[in-house]
Amino acid sequence: MKKKVLAVGLCGAMILSLIGCGGGSSDSNTAKETKTTETVKETIASTEEVALIESGYSVTENSAGVYIYYGIKLENKSQEKSAFLPTVTITAKSEDGSIITTEDQTLMNIAPGDTVTYGFQIDSKGTVPATVEFSVSDSKFVDPDDETIVLSQLPVSNTSEVAGDFNISYTGEVENTSATDIDTGAATVLLRKDGAIVYGMTGFVNDLTAGSKKPFEIKTYGDLPEHDSFEISVQPWL
């Protein structure tokens, strides 16, 4: 059985209007010469933009097929409004630039100024891609309500990497310190090598009521790439 794992760290490509790796602002947000420095800072801070600030992937090839395992990190640049339902597009390409496969993944609410992570897999149709590109579409921006939750209100602790007979799991506990009950939370693990994302996977934890703490397990699939660290975060999921 032939196995091949490729690990590549990419930062978002083909970013749509107002999207940039590292959160660059558009010309419409560039202050005129007559504006004060304080006004410039306020304009930039309130930019309605979802930025793809990190991405990476690995490819597993074995008898089951060829699969891409990716991880991403998104930041809501707006300090005033929530980003609702941003969509990330993942596109695998061959050496000549032709598209092997492409998939959209819609995320949930991102609170003002907050950062979320997500990871999963896509089928590469039996072909090892030369590149995998990521882009994000701006979501609808809405005023936050009393139930808006930032990731700092869902602290994760007691994390472990557990080797099983057929796969590796990542376990931990998440606490809901907010005043809002969460029906479902998405727990994402990102694996890193030398600081770069090389793998991502997401599992779910249910009935995370306000003030409660619950254990969770994220099961991984395929051959994990070489990595030296992992991180886990949990976000509300509809």
Side-chain angles (χ1 to χ4, degrees), residues 7-12 52 54-58 68-73 118 120 132 134 190-191 196-200:
V8 182
L10 298 177
C11 201
L52 180 62
E54 274 192 282
S55 63
Y57 70 95
S58 60
I68 301 164
Y69 295 89
Y70 68 89
I72 54 176
K73 182 171 285 190
Y118 185 79
F120 209 63
V132 179
F134 301 85
L190 298 181
L191 305 187
I197 297 172
V198 294
Y199 183 99

mmCIF file with all atom_site columns, all heavy atoms in Angstrom, residues 7-12 52 54-58 68-73 118 120 132 134 190-191 196-200:
data_model
loop_
_atom_site.group_PDB
_atom_site.id
_atom_site.type_symbol
_atom_site.label_atom_id
_atom_site.label_alt_id
_atom_site.label_comp_id
_atom_site.label_asym_id
_atom_site.label_entity_id
_atom_site.label_seq_id
_atom_site.pdbx_PDB_ins_code
_atom_site.Cartn_x
_atom_site.Cartn_y
_atom_site.Cartn_z
_atom_site.occupancy
_atom_site.B_iso_or_equiv
_atom_site.pdbx_formal_charge
_atom_site.auth_seq_id
_atom_site.auth_comp_id
_atom_site.auth_asym_id
_atom_site.auth_atom_id
_atom_site.pdbx_PDB_model_num
ATOM 1   N N   . ALA A 1 7   ? 2.893   18.157 2.758  1.00 0.00 ? 7   ALA A N   1
ATOM 2   C CA  . ALA A 1 7   ? 2.439   19.202 3.677  1.00 0.00 ? 7   ALA A CA  1
ATOM 3   C C   . ALA A 1 7   ? 2.864   20.535 3.138  1.00 0.00 ? 7   ALA A C   1
ATOM 4   O O   . ALA A 1 7   ? 4.027   20.722 2.818  1.00 0.00 ? 7   ALA A O   1
ATOM 5   C CB  . ALA A 1 7   ? 3.035   18.989 5.060  1.00 0.00 ? 7   ALA A CB  1
ATOM 6   N N   . VAL A 1 8   ? 1.933   21.414 3.037  1.00 0.00 ? 8   VAL A N   1
ATOM 7   C CA  . VAL A 1 8   ? 2.219   22.738 2.484  1.00 0.00 ? 8   VAL A CA  1
ATOM 8   C C   . VAL A 1 8   ? 1.474   23.758 3.305  1.00 0.00 ? 8   VAL A C   1
ATOM 9   O O   . VAL A 1 8   ? 0.329   23.534 3.657  1.00 0.00 ? 8   VAL A O   1
ATOM 10  C CB  . VAL A 1 8   ? 1.753   22.850 1.013  1.00 0.00 ? 8   VAL A CB  1
ATOM 11  C CG1 . VAL A 1 8   ? 2.111   24.226 0.447  1.00 0.00 ? 8   VAL A CG1 1
ATOM 12  C CG2 . VAL A 1 8   ? 2.394   21.768 0.172  1.00 0.00 ? 8   VAL A CG2 1
ATOM 13  N N   . GLY A 1 9   ? 2.099   24.882 3.617  1.00 0.00 ? 9   GLY A N   1
ATOM 14  C CA  . GLY A 1 9   ? 1.405   25.986 4.287  1.00 0.00 ? 9   GLY A CA  1
ATOM 15  C C   . GLY A 1 9   ? 1.147   27.078 3.283  1.00 0.00 ? 9   GLY A C   1
ATOM 16  O O   . GLY A 1 9   ? 2.052   27.494 2.592  1.00 0.00 ? 9   GLY A O   1
ATOM 17  N N   . LEU A 1 10  ? -0.091  27.456 3.168  1.00 0.00 ? 10  LEU A N   1
ATOM 18  C CA  . LEU A 1 10  ? -0.460  28.510 2.221  1.00 0.00 ? 10  LEU A CA  1
ATOM 19  C C   . LEU A 1 10  ? -1.163  29.613 2.970  1.00 0.00 ? 10  LEU A C   1
ATOM 20  O O   . LEU A 1 10  ? -1.763  29.387 3.990  1.00 0.00 ? 10  LEU A O   1
ATOM 21  C CB  . LEU A 1 10  ? -1.415  27.966 1.139  1.00 0.00 ? 10  LEU A CB  1
ATOM 22  C CG  . LEU A 1 10  ? -0.869  26.851 0.244  1.00 0.00 ? 10  LEU A CG  1
ATOM 23  C CD1 . LEU A 1 10  ? -1.957  26.394 -0.705 1.00 0.00 ? 10  LEU A CD1 1
ATOM 24  C CD2 . LEU A 1 10  ? 0.330   27.356 -0.559 1.00 0.00 ? 10  LEU A CD2 1
ATOM 25  N N   . CYS A 1 11  ? -1.094  30.791 2.414  1.00 0.00 ? 11  CYS A N   1
ATOM 26  C CA  . CYS A 1 11  ? -1.944  31.859 2.920  1.00 0.00 ? 11  CYS A CA  1
ATOM 27  C C   . CYS A 1 11  ? -2.949  32.167 1.839  1.00 0.00 ? 11  CYS A C   1
ATOM 28  O O   . CYS A 1 11  ? -2.735  31.848 0.676  1.00 0.00 ? 11  CYS A O   1
ATOM 29  C CB  . CYS A 1 11  ? -1.109  33.089 3.284  1.00 0.00 ? 11  CYS A CB  1
ATOM 30  S SG  . CYS A 1 11  ? -1.965  34.166 4.429  1.00 0.00 ? 11  CYS A SG  1
ATOM 31  N N   . GLY A 1 12  ? -4.143  32.663 2.202  1.00 0.00 ? 12  GLY A N   1
ATOM 32  C CA  . GLY A 1 12  ? -5.282  32.786 1.309  1.00 0.00 ? 12  GLY A CA  1
ATOM 33  C C   . GLY A 1 12  ? -4.936  33.388 -0.043 1.00 0.00 ? 12  GLY A C   1
ATOM 34  O O   . GLY A 1 12  ? -4.228  34.357 -0.127 1.00 0.00 ? 12  GLY A O   1
ATOM 35  N N   . LEU A 1 52  ? -8.685  35.894 5.726  1.00 0.00 ? 52  LEU A N   1
ATOM 36  C CA  . LEU A 1 52  ? -8.095  34.567 5.862  1.00 0.00 ? 52  LEU A CA  1
ATOM 37  C C   . LEU A 1 52  ? -6.641  34.774 6.270  1.00 0.00 ? 52  LEU A C   1
ATOM 38  O O   . LEU A 1 52  ? -5.790  35.076 5.442  1.00 0.00 ? 52  LEU A O   1
ATOM 39  C CB  . LEU A 1 52  ? -8.190  33.822 4.538  1.00 0.00 ? 52  LEU A CB  1
ATOM 40  C CG  . LEU A 1 52  ? -7.630  32.404 4.469  1.00 0.00 ? 52  LEU A CG  1
ATOM 41  C CD1 . LEU A 1 52  ? -8.380  31.481 5.415  1.00 0.00 ? 52  LEU A CD1 1
ATOM 42  C CD2 . LEU A 1 52  ? -7.718  31.880 3.053  1.00 0.00 ? 52  LEU A CD2 1
ATOM 43  N N   . GLU A 1 54  ? -4.560  32.603 8.031  1.00 0.00 ? 54  GLU A N   1
ATOM 44  C CA  . GLU A 1 54  ? -3.680  31.437 7.962  1.00 0.00 ? 54  GLU A CA  1
ATOM 45  C C   . GLU A 1 54  ? -4.391  30.299 7.244  1.00 0.00 ? 54  GLU A C   1
ATOM 46  O O   . GLU A 1 54  ? -5.611  30.144 7.355  1.00 0.00 ? 54  GLU A O   1
ATOM 47  C CB  . GLU A 1 54  ? -3.288  30.946 9.360  1.00 0.00 ? 54  GLU A CB  1
ATOM 48  C CG  . GLU A 1 54  ? -2.092  31.609 9.978  1.00 0.00 ? 54  GLU A CG  1
ATOM 49  C CD  . GLU A 1 54  ? -1.638  30.831 11.204 1.00 0.00 ? 54  GLU A CD  1
ATOM 50  O OE1 . GLU A 1 54  ? -2.263  30.973 12.260 1.00 0.00 ? 54  GLU A OE1 1
ATOM 51  O OE2 . GLU A 1 54  ? -0.660  30.067 11.081 1.00 0.00 ? 54  GLU A OE2 1
ATOM 52  N N   . SER A 1 55  ? -3.634  29.495 6.523  1.00 0.00 ? 55  SER A N   1
ATOM 53  C CA  . SER A 1 55  ? -4.184  28.277 5.928  1.00 0.00 ? 55  SER A CA  1
ATOM 54  C C   . SER A 1 55  ? -3.047  27.299 5.672  1.00 0.00 ? 55  SER A C   1
ATOM 55  O O   . SER A 1 55  ? -1.881  27.686 5.573  1.00 0.00 ? 55  SER A O   1
ATOM 56  C CB  . SER A 1 55  ? -4.916  28.589 4.621  1.00 0.00 ? 55  SER A CB  1
ATOM 57  O OG  . SER A 1 55  ? -4.018  29.110 3.654  1.00 0.00 ? 55  SER A OG  1
ATOM 58  N N   . GLY A 1 56  ? -3.393  26.038 5.578  1.00 0.00 ? 56  GLY A N   1
ATOM 59  C CA  . GLY A 1 56  ? -2.393  25.014 5.277  1.00 0.00 ? 56  GLY A CA  1
ATOM 60  C C   . GLY A 1 56  ? -3.078  23.684 5.051  1.00 0.00 ? 56  GLY A C   1
ATOM 61  O O   . GLY A 1 56  ? -4.272  23.526 5.349  1.00 0.00 ? 56  GLY A O   1
ATOM 62  N N   . TYR A 1 57  ? -2.350  22.720 4.520  1.00 0.00 ? 57  TYR A N   1
ATOM 63  C CA  . TYR A 1 57  ? -2.963  21.435 4.225  1.00 0.00 ? 57  TYR A CA  1
ATOM 64  C C   . TYR A 1 57  ? -1.914  20.344 4.110  1.00 0.00 ? 57  TYR A C   1
ATOM 65  O O   . TYR A 1 57  ? -0.716  20.613 4.019  1.00 0.00 ? 57  TYR A O   1
ATOM 66  C CB  . TYR A 1 57  ? -3.780  21.516 2.928  1.00 0.00 ? 57  TYR A CB  1
ATOM 67  C CG  . TYR A 1 57  ? -2.932  21.655 1.676  1.00 0.00 ? 57  TYR A CG  1
ATOM 68  C CD1 . TYR A 1 57  ? -2.568  20.541 0.924  1.00 0.00 ? 57  TYR A CD1 1
ATOM 69  C CD2 . TYR A 1 57  ? -2.492  22.893 1.244  1.00 0.00 ? 57  TYR A CD2 1
ATOM 70  C CE1 . TYR A 1 57  ? -1.806  20.654 -0.227 1.00 0.00 ? 57  TYR A CE1 1
ATOM 71  C CE2 . TYR A 1 57  ? -1.715  23.020 0.097  1.00 0.00 ? 57  TYR A CE2 1
ATOM 72  C CZ  . TYR A 1 57  ? -1.378  21.894 -0.630 1.00 0.00 ? 57  TYR A CZ  1
ATOM 73  O OH  . TYR A 1 57  ? -0.601  21.998 -1.759 1.00 0.00 ? 57  TYR A OH  1
ATOM 74  N N   . SER A 1 58  ? -2.404  19.119 4.078  1.00 0.00 ? 58  SER A N   1
ATOM 75  C CA  . SER A 1 58  ? -1.583  17.967 3.731  1.00 0.00 ? 58  SER A CA  1
ATOM 76  C C   . SER A 1 58  ? -2.410  17.052 2.851  1.00 0.00 ? 58  SER A C   1
ATOM 77  O O   . SER A 1 58  ? -3.644  17.132 2.829  1.00 0.00 ? 58  SER A O   1
ATOM 78  C CB  . SER A 1 58  ? -1.087  17.222 4.977  1.00 0.00 ? 58  SER A CB  1
ATOM 79  O OG  . SER A 1 58  ? -2.175  16.752 5.740  1.00 0.00 ? 58  SER A OG  1
ATOM 80  N N   . ILE A 1 68  ? -7.413  15.575 0.817  1.00 0.00 ? 68  ILE A N   1
ATOM 81  C CA  . ILE A 1 68  ? -6.773  16.805 1.277  1.00 0.00 ? 68  ILE A CA  1
ATOM 82  C C   . ILE A 1 68  ? -7.324  17.117 2.659  1.00 0.00 ? 68  ILE A C   1
ATOM 83  O O   . ILE A 1 68  ? -8.546  17.196 2.858  1.00 0.00 ? 68  ILE A O   1
ATOM 84  C CB  . ILE A 1 68  ? -7.071  17.972 0.320  1.00 0.00 ? 68  ILE A CB  1
ATOM 85  C CG1 . ILE A 1 68  ? -6.570  17.661 -1.090 1.00 0.00 ? 68  ILE A CG1 1
ATOM 86  C CG2 . ILE A 1 68  ? -6.466  19.278 0.839  1.00 0.00 ? 68  ILE A CG2 1
ATOM 87  C CD1 . ILE A 1 68  ? -7.163  18.564 -2.154 1.00 0.00 ? 68  ILE A CD1 1
ATOM 88  N N   . TYR A 1 69  ? -6.447  17.305 3.616  1.00 0.00 ? 69  TYR A N   1
ATOM 89  C CA  . TYR A 1 69  ? -6.831  17.695 4.970  1.00 0.00 ? 69  TYR A CA  1
ATOM 90  C C   . TYR A 1 69  ? -6.317  19.109 5.210  1.00 0.00 ? 69  TYR A C   1
ATOM 91  O O   . TYR A 1 69  ? -5.107  19.343 5.176  1.00 0.00 ? 69  TYR A O   1
ATOM 92  C CB  . TYR A 1 69  ? -6.246  16.722 5.994  1.00 0.00 ? 69  TYR A CB  1
ATOM 93  C CG  . TYR A 1 69  ? -6.809  15.326 5.863  1.00 0.00 ? 69  TYR A CG  1
ATOM 94  C CD1 . TYR A 1 69  ? -6.210  14.396 5.011  1.00 0.00 ? 69  TYR A CD1 1
ATOM 95  C CD2 . TYR A 1 69  ? -7.942  14.949 6.571  1.00 0.00 ? 69  TYR A CD2 1
ATOM 96  C CE1 . TYR A 1 69  ? -6.730  13.120 4.876  1.00 0.00 ? 69  TYR A CE1 1
ATOM 97  C CE2 . TYR A 1 69  ? -8.466  13.664 6.440  1.00 0.00 ? 69  TYR A CE2 1
ATOM 98  C CZ  . TYR A 1 69  ? -7.868  12.763 5.590  1.00 0.00 ? 69  TYR A CZ  1
ATOM 99  O OH  . TYR A 1 69  ? -8.392  11.499 5.448  1.00 0.00 ? 69  TYR A OH  1
ATOM 100 N N   . TYR A 1 70  ? -7.229  20.038 5.439  1.00 0.00 ? 70  TYR A N   1
ATOM 101 C CA  . TYR A 1 70  ? -6.841  21.444 5.505  1.00 0.00 ? 70  TYR A CA  1
ATOM 102 C C   . TYR A 1 70  ? -7.232  22.085 6.837  1.00 0.00 ? 70  TYR A C   1
ATOM 103 O O   . TYR A 1 70  ? -8.118  21.609 7.555  1.00 0.00 ? 70  TYR A O   1
ATOM 104 C CB  . TYR A 1 70  ? -7.499  22.227 4.358  1.00 0.00 ? 70  TYR A CB  1
ATOM 105 C CG  . TYR A 1 70  ? -9.003  22.350 4.469  1.00 0.00 ? 70  TYR A CG  1
ATOM 106 C CD1 . TYR A 1 70  ? -9.595  23.411 5.164  1.00 0.00 ? 70  TYR A CD1 1
ATOM 107 C CD2 . TYR A 1 70  ? -9.836  21.410 3.886  1.00 0.00 ? 70  TYR A CD2 1
ATOM 108 C CE1 . TYR A 1 70  ? -10.973 23.516 5.267  1.00 0.00 ? 70  TYR A CE1 1
ATOM 109 C CE2 . TYR A 1 70  ? -11.214 21.510 3.988  1.00 0.00 ? 70  TYR A CE2 1
ATOM 110 C CZ  . TYR A 1 70  ? -11.780 22.562 4.683  1.00 0.00 ? 70  TYR A CZ  1
ATOM 111 O OH  . TYR A 1 70  ? -13.143 22.657 4.800  1.00 0.00 ? 70  TYR A OH  1
ATOM 112 N N   . GLY A 1 71  ? -6.548  23.164 7.144  1.00 0.00 ? 71  GLY A N   1
ATOM 113 C CA  . GLY A 1 71  ? -6.881  23.968 8.317  1.00 0.00 ? 71  GLY A CA  1
ATOM 114 C C   . GLY A 1 71  ? -6.811  25.435 7.946  1.00 0.00 ? 71  GLY A C   1
ATOM 115 O O   . GLY A 1 71  ? -5.948  25.850 7.174  1.00 0.00 ? 71  GLY A O   1
ATOM 116 N N   . ILE A 1 72  ? -7.730  26.241 8.500  1.00 0.00 ? 72  ILE A N   1
ATOM 117 C CA  . ILE A 1 72  ? -7.781  27.670 8.193  1.00 0.00 ? 72  ILE A CA  1
ATOM 118 C C   . ILE A 1 72  ? -8.031  28.468 9.464  1.00 0.00 ? 72  ILE A C   1
ATOM 119 O O   . ILE A 1 72  ? -8.567  27.947 10.449 1.00 0.00 ? 72  ILE A O   1
ATOM 120 C CB  . ILE A 1 72  ? -8.887  28.001 7.160  1.00 0.00 ? 72  ILE A CB  1
ATOM 121 C CG1 . ILE A 1 72  ? -10.244 27.465 7.641  1.00 0.00 ? 72  ILE A CG1 1
ATOM 122 C CG2 . ILE A 1 72  ? -8.520  27.456 5.789  1.00 0.00 ? 72  ILE A CG2 1
ATOM 123 C CD1 . ILE A 1 72  ? -11.397 27.827 6.749  1.00 0.00 ? 72  ILE A CD1 1
ATOM 124 N N   . LYS A 1 73  ? -7.644  29.722 9.419  1.00 0.00 ? 73  LYS A N   1
ATOM 125 C CA  . LYS A 1 73  ? -7.923  30.650 10.515 1.00 0.00 ? 73  LYS A CA  1
ATOM 126 C C   . LYS A 1 73  ? -8.455  31.941 9.908  1.00 0.00 ? 73  LYS A C   1
ATOM 127 O O   . LYS A 1 73  ? -7.842  32.525 9.015  1.00 0.00 ? 73  LYS A O   1
ATOM 128 C CB  . LYS A 1 73  ? -6.664  30.922 11.337 1.00 0.00 ? 73  LYS A CB  1
ATOM 129 C CG  . LYS A 1 73  ? -6.887  31.842 12.542 1.00 0.00 ? 73  LYS A CG  1
ATOM 130 C CD  . LYS A 1 73  ? -5.662  31.909 13.441 1.00 0.00 ? 73  LYS A CD  1
ATOM 131 C CE  . LYS A 1 73  ? -5.512  30.644 14.254 1.00 0.00 ? 73  LYS A CE  1
ATOM 132 N NZ  . LYS A 1 73  ? -4.476  30.768 15.304 1.00 0.00 ? 73  LYS A NZ  1
ATOM 133 N N   . TYR A 1 118 ? -11.009 26.432 11.562 1.00 0.00 ? 118 TYR A N   1
ATOM 134 C CA  . TYR A 1 118 ? -11.820 25.318 11.056 1.00 0.00 ? 118 TYR A CA  1
ATOM 135 C C   . TYR A 1 118 ? -10.907 24.404 10.250 1.00 0.00 ? 118 TYR A C   1
ATOM 136 O O   . TYR A 1 118 ? -9.949  24.859 9.614  1.00 0.00 ? 118 TYR A O   1
ATOM 137 C CB  . TYR A 1 118 ? -12.960 25.819 10.165 1.00 0.00 ? 118 TYR A CB  1
ATOM 138 C CG  . TYR A 1 118 ? -13.884 24.706 9.714  1.00 0.00 ? 118 TYR A CG  1
ATOM 139 C CD1 . TYR A 1 118 ? -14.863 24.213 10.571 1.00 0.00 ? 118 TYR A CD1 1
ATOM 140 C CD2 . TYR A 1 118 ? -13.752 24.130 8.451  1.00 0.00 ? 118 TYR A CD2 1
ATOM 141 C CE1 . TYR A 1 118 ? -15.698 23.182 10.172 1.00 0.00 ? 118 TYR A CE1 1
ATOM 142 C CE2 . TYR A 1 118 ? -14.585 23.094 8.048  1.00 0.00 ? 118 TYR A CE2 1
ATOM 143 C CZ  . TYR A 1 118 ? -15.559 22.622 8.916  1.00 0.00 ? 118 TYR A CZ  1
ATOM 144 O OH  . TYR A 1 118 ? -16.382 21.604 8.520  1.00 0.00 ? 118 TYR A OH  1
ATOM 145 N N   . PHE A 1 120 ? -11.056 20.446 7.903  1.00 0.00 ? 120 PHE A N   1
ATOM 146 C CA  . PHE A 1 120 ? -11.796 19.264 7.468  1.00 0.00 ? 120 PHE A CA  1
ATOM 147 C C   . PHE A 1 120 ? -11.058 18.625 6.292  1.00 0.00 ? 120 PHE A C   1
ATOM 148 O O   . PHE A 1 120 ? -9.890  18.950 6.024  1.00 0.00 ? 120 PHE A O   1
ATOM 149 C CB  . PHE A 1 120 ? -13.233 19.629 7.090  1.00 0.00 ? 120 PHE A CB  1
ATOM 150 C CG  . PHE A 1 120 ? -14.198 18.490 7.304  1.00 0.00 ? 120 PHE A CG  1
ATOM 151 C CD1 . PHE A 1 120 ? -14.423 17.976 8.567  1.00 0.00 ? 120 PHE A CD1 1
ATOM 152 C CD2 . PHE A 1 120 ? -14.880 17.933 6.231  1.00 0.00 ? 120 PHE A CD2 1
ATOM 153 C CE1 . PHE A 1 120 ? -15.303 16.921 8.764  1.00 0.00 ? 120 PHE A CE1 1
ATOM 154 C CE2 . PHE A 1 120 ? -15.761 16.876 6.418  1.00 0.00 ? 120 PHE A CE2 1
ATOM 155 C CZ  . PHE A 1 120 ? -15.978 16.366 7.687  1.00 0.00 ? 120 PHE A CZ  1
ATOM 156 N N   . VAL A 1 132 ? -3.113  23.755 -3.519 1.00 0.00 ? 132 VAL A N   1
ATOM 157 C CA  . VAL A 1 132 ? -4.457  23.906 -2.966 1.00 0.00 ? 132 VAL A CA  1
ATOM 158 C C   . VAL A 1 132 ? -4.604  25.359 -2.555 1.00 0.00 ? 132 VAL A C   1
ATOM 159 O O   . VAL A 1 132 ? -3.796  25.879 -1.778 1.00 0.00 ? 132 VAL A O   1
ATOM 160 C CB  . VAL A 1 132 ? -4.705  22.974 -1.764 1.00 0.00 ? 132 VAL A CB  1
ATOM 161 C CG1 . VAL A 1 132 ? -6.113  23.195 -1.202 1.00 0.00 ? 132 VAL A CG1 1
ATOM 162 C CG2 . VAL A 1 132 ? -4.511  21.522 -2.156 1.00 0.00 ? 132 VAL A CG2 1
ATOM 163 N N   . PHE A 1 134 ? -6.968  28.773 -1.225 1.00 0.00 ? 134 PHE A N   1
ATOM 164 C CA  . PHE A 1 134 ? -8.069  29.117 -0.330 1.00 0.00 ? 134 PHE A CA  1
ATOM 165 C C   . PHE A 1 134 ? -8.479  30.565 -0.568 1.00 0.00 ? 134 PHE A C   1
ATOM 166 O O   . PHE A 1 134 ? -7.626  31.433 -0.727 1.00 0.00 ? 134 PHE A O   1
ATOM 167 C CB  . PHE A 1 134 ? -7.641  28.966 1.135  1.00 0.00 ? 134 PHE A CB  1
ATOM 168 C CG  . PHE A 1 134 ? -7.179  27.581 1.495  1.00 0.00 ? 134 PHE A CG  1
ATOM 169 C CD1 . PHE A 1 134 ? -5.869  27.192 1.262  1.00 0.00 ? 134 PHE A CD1 1
ATOM 170 C CD2 . PHE A 1 134 ? -8.051  26.668 2.059  1.00 0.00 ? 134 PHE A CD2 1
ATOM 171 C CE1 . PHE A 1 134 ? -5.434  25.922 1.578  1.00 0.00 ? 134 PHE A CE1 1
ATOM 172 C CE2 . PHE A 1 134 ? -7.622  25.388 2.391  1.00 0.00 ? 134 PHE A CE2 1
ATOM 173 C CZ  . PHE A 1 134 ? -6.315  25.018 2.149  1.00 0.00 ? 134 PHE A CZ  1
ATOM 174 N N   . LEU A 1 190 ? -5.966  21.981 14.918 1.00 0.00 ? 190 LEU A N   1
ATOM 175 C CA  . LEU A 1 190 ? -4.998  22.298 13.877 1.00 0.00 ? 190 LEU A CA  1
ATOM 176 C C   . LEU A 1 190 ? -3.661  21.699 14.277 1.00 0.00 ? 190 LEU A C   1
ATOM 177 O O   . LEU A 1 190 ? -3.199  21.896 15.407 1.00 0.00 ? 190 LEU A O   1
ATOM 178 C CB  . LEU A 1 190 ? -4.843  23.815 13.707 1.00 0.00 ? 190 LEU A CB  1
ATOM 179 C CG  . LEU A 1 190 ? -6.075  24.613 13.274 1.00 0.00 ? 190 LEU A CG  1
ATOM 180 C CD1 . LEU A 1 190 ? -5.704  26.094 13.141 1.00 0.00 ? 190 LEU A CD1 1
ATOM 181 C CD2 . LEU A 1 190 ? -6.658  24.086 11.979 1.00 0.00 ? 190 LEU A CD2 1
ATOM 182 N N   . LEU A 1 191 ? -3.039  20.965 13.351 1.00 0.00 ? 191 LEU A N   1
ATOM 183 C CA  . LEU A 1 191 ? -1.690  20.452 13.579 1.00 0.00 ? 191 LEU A CA  1
ATOM 184 C C   . LEU A 1 191 ? -0.698  21.379 12.899 1.00 0.00 ? 191 LEU A C   1
ATOM 185 O O   . LEU A 1 191 ? -0.948  21.877 11.796 1.00 0.00 ? 191 LEU A O   1
ATOM 186 C CB  . LEU A 1 191 ? -1.540  19.039 13.011 1.00 0.00 ? 191 LEU A CB  1
ATOM 187 C CG  . LEU A 1 191 ? -2.543  17.987 13.483 1.00 0.00 ? 191 LEU A CG  1
ATOM 188 C CD1 . LEU A 1 191 ? -2.138  16.607 12.941 1.00 0.00 ? 191 LEU A CD1 1
ATOM 189 C CD2 . LEU A 1 191 ? -2.661  17.953 14.999 1.00 0.00 ? 191 LEU A CD2 1
ATOM 190 N N   . ALA A 1 196 ? 3.732   26.222 11.010 1.00 0.00 ? 196 ALA A N   1
ATOM 191 C CA  . ALA A 1 196 ? 2.800   26.278 9.872  1.00 0.00 ? 196 ALA A CA  1
ATOM 192 C C   . ALA A 1 196 ? 1.714   25.215 10.019 1.00 0.00 ? 196 ALA A C   1
ATOM 193 O O   . ALA A 1 196 ? 1.967   24.096 10.488 1.00 0.00 ? 196 ALA A O   1
ATOM 194 C CB  . ALA A 1 196 ? 3.545   26.069 8.564  1.00 0.00 ? 196 ALA A CB  1
ATOM 195 N N   . ILE A 1 197 ? 0.492   25.550 9.603  1.00 0.00 ? 197 ILE A N   1
ATOM 196 C CA  . ILE A 1 197 ? -0.613  24.599 9.619  1.00 0.00 ? 197 ILE A CA  1
ATOM 197 C C   . ILE A 1 197 ? -0.372  23.507 8.572  1.00 0.00 ? 197 ILE A C   1
ATOM 198 O O   . ILE A 1 197 ? -0.088  23.803 7.411  1.00 0.00 ? 197 ILE A O   1
ATOM 199 C CB  . ILE A 1 197 ? -1.947  25.301 9.322  1.00 0.00 ? 197 ILE A CB  1
ATOM 200 C CG1 . ILE A 1 197 ? -2.280  26.330 10.407 1.00 0.00 ? 197 ILE A CG1 1
ATOM 201 C CG2 . ILE A 1 197 ? -3.085  24.282 9.218  1.00 0.00 ? 197 ILE A CG2 1
ATOM 202 C CD1 . ILE A 1 197 ? -3.484  27.197 10.076 1.00 0.00 ? 197 ILE A CD1 1
ATOM 203 N N   . VAL A 1 198 ? -0.488  22.238 8.992  1.00 0.00 ? 198 VAL A N   1
ATOM 204 C CA  . VAL A 1 198 ? -0.320  21.120 8.055  1.00 0.00 ? 198 VAL A CA  1
ATOM 205 C C   . VAL A 1 198 ? -1.511  20.172 8.050  1.00 0.00 ? 198 VAL A C   1
ATOM 206 O O   . VAL A 1 198 ? -1.552  19.235 7.251  1.00 0.00 ? 198 VAL A O   1
ATOM 207 C CB  . VAL A 1 198 ? 0.975   20.326 8.359  1.00 0.00 ? 198 VAL A CB  1
ATOM 208 C CG1 . VAL A 1 198 ? 2.200   21.186 8.103  1.00 0.00 ? 198 VAL A CG1 1
ATOM 209 C CG2 . VAL A 1 198 ? 0.967   19.797 9.789  1.00 0.00 ? 198 VAL A CG2 1
ATOM 210 N N   . TYR A 1 199 ? -2.484  20.413 8.927  1.00 0.00 ? 199 TYR A N   1
ATOM 211 C CA  . TYR A 1 199 ? -3.636  19.508 9.005  1.00 0.00 ? 199 TYR A CA  1
ATOM 212 C C   . TYR A 1 199 ? -4.711  20.162 9.849  1.00 0.00 ? 199 TYR A C   1
ATOM 213 O O   . TYR A 1 199 ? -4.415  20.910 10.779 1.00 0.00 ? 199 TYR A O   1
ATOM 214 C CB  . TYR A 1 199 ? -3.209  18.190 9.661  1.00 0.00 ? 199 TYR A CB  1
ATOM 215 C CG  . TYR A 1 199 ? -4.271  17.112 9.759  1.00 0.00 ? 199 TYR A CG  1
ATOM 216 C CD1 . TYR A 1 199 ? -4.323  16.064 8.845  1.00 0.00 ? 199 TYR A CD1 1
ATOM 217 C CD2 . TYR A 1 199 ? -5.214  17.116 10.790 1.00 0.00 ? 199 TYR A CD2 1
ATOM 218 C CE1 . TYR A 1 199 ? -5.276  15.061 8.943  1.00 0.00 ? 199 TYR A CE1 1
ATOM 219 C CE2 . TYR A 1 199 ? -6.170  16.132 10.900 1.00 0.00 ? 199 TYR A CE2 1
ATOM 220 C CZ  . TYR A 1 199 ? -6.204  15.097 9.971  1.00 0.00 ? 199 TYR A CZ  1
ATOM 221 O OH  . TYR A 1 199 ? -7.147  14.109 10.078 1.00 0.00 ? 199 TYR A OH  1
ATOM 222 N N   . GLY A 1 200 ? -5.971  19.870 9.530  1.00 0.00 ? 200 GLY A N   1
ATOM 223 C CA  . GLY A 1 200 ? -7.085  20.332 10.345 1.00 0.00 ? 200 GLY A CA  1
ATOM 224 C C   . GLY A 1 200 ? -8.217  19.330 10.324 1.00 0.00 ? 200 GLY A C   1
ATOM 225 O O   . GLY A 1 200 ? -8.439  18.641 9.334  1.00 0.00 ? 200 GLY A O   1
#
